[in-house]
């Protein structure tokens, strides 16, 4: 009898092959020695050669389809293995980043819970500051640039001087933030012994030096006023020499007003507690953004896709191998049914049918293993 073959041309890979094997099984005949009248399988007949052959054919199908699955999944397994190192490193970083995100989020929530009542800056004040402060600097620079060009300076030189003077006017008003910080620090000041365990972590915000920094802030304030005075006098002299004293005085006052406006803007937007909370929130947001980038890393995604594809290929070929083995097993029973003169029409009622005659499905080592 013709032996089956395995591999790409597996006998049960198409309906036509199944029909061919069924036809072949139909013509299998066991030689009859003499007539028997028993309807059950004779007890003196063990496992026939035909049964042994078809059991082996069924086991061959399991191994054959497993080999085809290995071949079909090889590209996916190789791709997954090639990405193993990069994906492992990314996953290690991902684990650490998850801890960093939790820590940053806990720090922000604790700070917001403890320091929230001490926030003094209204919503939107910081946005107004970053919109208005550049406008003050640009406006002051424009007035000085126009005067310098009219005075006869080269435009490139005049532009540098004007920008520097405008920045000086804007920065001279930054002392307003320090003044506001001192005021808020006085309002927050508490005895360290009265601080709760959570508040003690931020004890710096609830205590200060004996003079509350007045000496240093006073020195910086004097320097800022000196910058304002120099700008006003400089613009007055420059414009006055070109357009008269009235014009010089007007533009000098405008330059001083720019610096004072920067002071008021900084005073209005300053809040050390709000800045601290904003820093904690930004840190948490940055940690979460990095976590999302790591979670969506290409190496991790591609390895997962390759593993899933390999597992699917293994599962498909394992199932096809089981189906093919069952088909061979059914043909084994078909042969016995077609030869009742030798094997009878069935097993005795007291015997467990099929014991020792079924194809062992566990012989396929690939079932359920997936990508290994």
């Amino acid at each position: 009898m013709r032996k089956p073959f395995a591999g790409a041309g597996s006998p049960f890979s198409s309906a036509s092959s199944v029909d061919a094997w069924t036809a072949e099984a139909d013509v299998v005949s066991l030689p009859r020695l003499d007539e028997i009248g028993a309807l059950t399988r004779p007890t003196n007949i063990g496992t026939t050669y035909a049964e042994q052959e078809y059991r082996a054919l069924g086991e061959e199908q399991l191994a054959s389809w497993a080999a085809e699955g290995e071949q079909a999944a090889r590209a996916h397994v190789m791709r997954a293995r090639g990405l193993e190192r990069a994906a492992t490193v990314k996953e290690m970083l991902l684990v650490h980043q998850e801890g960093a995100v939790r820590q940053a989020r806990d720090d922000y929530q604790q700070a917001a819970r403890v320091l929230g009542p001490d926030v003094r800056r209204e919503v939107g004040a910081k946005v107004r500051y970053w919109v208005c402060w550049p406008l003050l600097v640009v406006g002051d620079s424009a007035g000085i640039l126009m005067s310098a060009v009219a005075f006869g300076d080269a435009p490139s030189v005049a532009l540098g001087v004007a920008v520097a003077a405008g920045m000086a006017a804007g920065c001279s008003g930054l002392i307003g933030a320090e003044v506001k910080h001192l005021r808020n620090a006085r309002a927050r000041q508490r005895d360290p012994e009265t601080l709760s365990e959570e508040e003690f972590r931020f004890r710096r915000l609830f205590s200060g030096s004996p003079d509350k920094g007045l000496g240093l802030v006073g020195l910086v304030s004097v320097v800022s006023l000196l910058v304002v005075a120099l700008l006003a006098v400089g613009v007055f002299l420059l414009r006055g020499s070109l357009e008269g004293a009235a014009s010089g005085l007007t533009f000098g006052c405008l330059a001083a007003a720019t610096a004072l406006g920067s002071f008021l803007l900084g005073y209005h937007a300053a809040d050390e507690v709000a800045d601290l909370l904003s820093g904690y929130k930004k840190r948490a947001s940055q940690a979460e953004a990095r976590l999302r980038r790591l979670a969506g890393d290409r190496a991790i995604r591609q390895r997962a896709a390759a593993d899933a594809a390999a597992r699917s290929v293994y599962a498909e070929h394992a199932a096809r191998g089981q189906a093919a083995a069952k088909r061979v097993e059914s043909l084994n029973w078909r042969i016995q049914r077609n030869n009742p003169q030798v094997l009878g029409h069935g097993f005795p009622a007291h015997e467990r049918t099929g014991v020792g005659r079924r194809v062992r499905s566990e012989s396929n080592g690939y079932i359920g293993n997936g990508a290994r």
Side-chain angles (χ1 to χ4, degrees):
M1 186 167 54
R2 180 170 60 86
K3 298 290 184 180
F5 56 93
S10 180
F12 297 111
S13 59
S14 64
S16 60
S17 298
V18 172
D19 295 338
W21 272 65
T22 302
E24 182 172 319
D26 285 340
V27 301
V28 173
S29 177
L30 301 178
R32 184 176 63 180
L33 298 179
D34 52 18
E35 296 291 340
I36 59 175
L39 298 178
T40 61
R41 185 182 180 104
T43 57
N44 62 341
I45 296 180
T47 303
T48 64
Y49 295 142
E51 292 176 273
Q52 293 283 17
E53 178 183 9
Y54 273 79
R55 177 191 296 178
L57 291 177
E59 294 179 350
E60 178 196 23
Q61 291 305 305
L62 293 174
S64 174
W65 280 100
E68 287 193 19
E70 185 71 28
Q71 181 181 16
R74 183 173 296 124
H76 301 297
V77 174
M78 292 176 63
R79 181 168 179 78
R81 292 297 180 265
L83 295 168
E84 186 71 26
R85 176 62 63 182
T88 300
V89 172
K90 293 295 184 179
E91 288 175 345
M92 180 186 66
L93 295 176
L94 189 62
V95 171
H96 288 290
Q97 191 61 29
E98 288 176 353
V101 169
R102 285 192 293 269
Q103 184 64 49
R105 179 57 60 181
D106 291 343
D107 289 344
Y108 170 66
Q109 292 176 346
Q110 182 187 22
R113 182 175 59 254
V114 175
L115 301 177
D118 294 300
V119 174
R120 296 293 179 265
R121 183 168 64 206
E122 63 182 70
V123 178
K126 200 68 175 181
V127 176
R128 285 196 298 271
Y129 174 82
W130 287 114
V131 171
C132 297
W133 190 83
L135 294 178
L136 292 174
V137 173
V138 170
D140 196 65
S141 300
I144 297 175
L145 175 62
M146 182 177 61
S147 300
V149 171
F151 192 72
D153 288 338
S156 58
V157 177
L159 178 62
V161 174
V163 171
M167 288 295 297
C171 292
S172 66
L174 296 180
I175 188 61
E178 294 298 326
V179 175
K180 183 67 171 295
H181 289 333
L182 285 176
R183 177 179 178 274
N184 290 340
R186 285 184 174 181
R188 292 192 305 267
Q189 185 178 6
R190 291 169 53 185
D191 188 339
E193 295 181 358
T194 64
L195 298 178
S196 65
E197 183 177 352
E198 289 186 331
E199 291 175 336
F200 190 78
R201 177 183 177 184
F202 308 100
R203 59 188 178 278
R204 177 183 63 83
L205 298 175
F206 298 100
S207 61
S209 59
D211 62 352
K212 304 300 182 294
L214 290 177
L216 184 59
V217 172
L219 176 61
V220 177
S221 299
V222 171
V223 174
S224 298
L225 291 176
L226 181 60
V227 172
V228 173
L230 291 175
L231 284 172
V233 172
V235 172
F236 170 75
L237 295 176
L238 180 61
R239 300 292 299 199
S241 63
L242 296 174
E243 302 174 6
S247 178
L249 181 60
T250 299
F251 280 92
C253 291
L254 291 177
T258 300
L260 294 177
S262 176
F263 172 88
L264 295 176
L265 189 63
Y267 183 87
H268 176 69
D271 191 332
E272 188 176 11
V273 175
D275 289 338
L276 181 64
L277 291 180
S278 178
Y280 276 116
K281 185 176 182 180
K282 184 178 180 180
R283 175 191 168 198
S285 299
Q286 290 176 342
E288 291 171 356
R290 177 169 173 76
L291 179 63
R292 286 192 292 269
R293 288 196 300 270
L294 288 173
D297 182 76
R298 180 182 300 179
I300 296 177
R301 289 187 290 106
Q302 290 181 347
R303 187 188 64 171
D307 280 340
R311 283 193 295 269
S312 177
V313 170
Y314 282 132
E316 176 188 354
H317 284 76
R320 291 182 183 276
Q322 289 285 354
K326 286 296 182 182
R327 169 62 67 174
V328 174
E329 183 181 359
S330 71
L331 295 179
N332 186 11
W333 294 110
R334 189 184 186 94
I335 293 173
Q336 297 179 59
R337 179 173 61 83
N338 290 338
N339 292 273
Q341 70 277 17
V342 176
L343 301 175
H345 295 89
F347 294 94
H350 64 275
E351 182 178 341
R352 295 176 59 188
T353 60
V355 175
R357 296 179 173 83
R358 294 181 180 177
V359 176
R360 298 191 304 272
S361 61
E362 64 272 12
S363 63
N364 182 4
Y366 294 89
I367 296 178
N369 284 352
R372 292 149 301 162

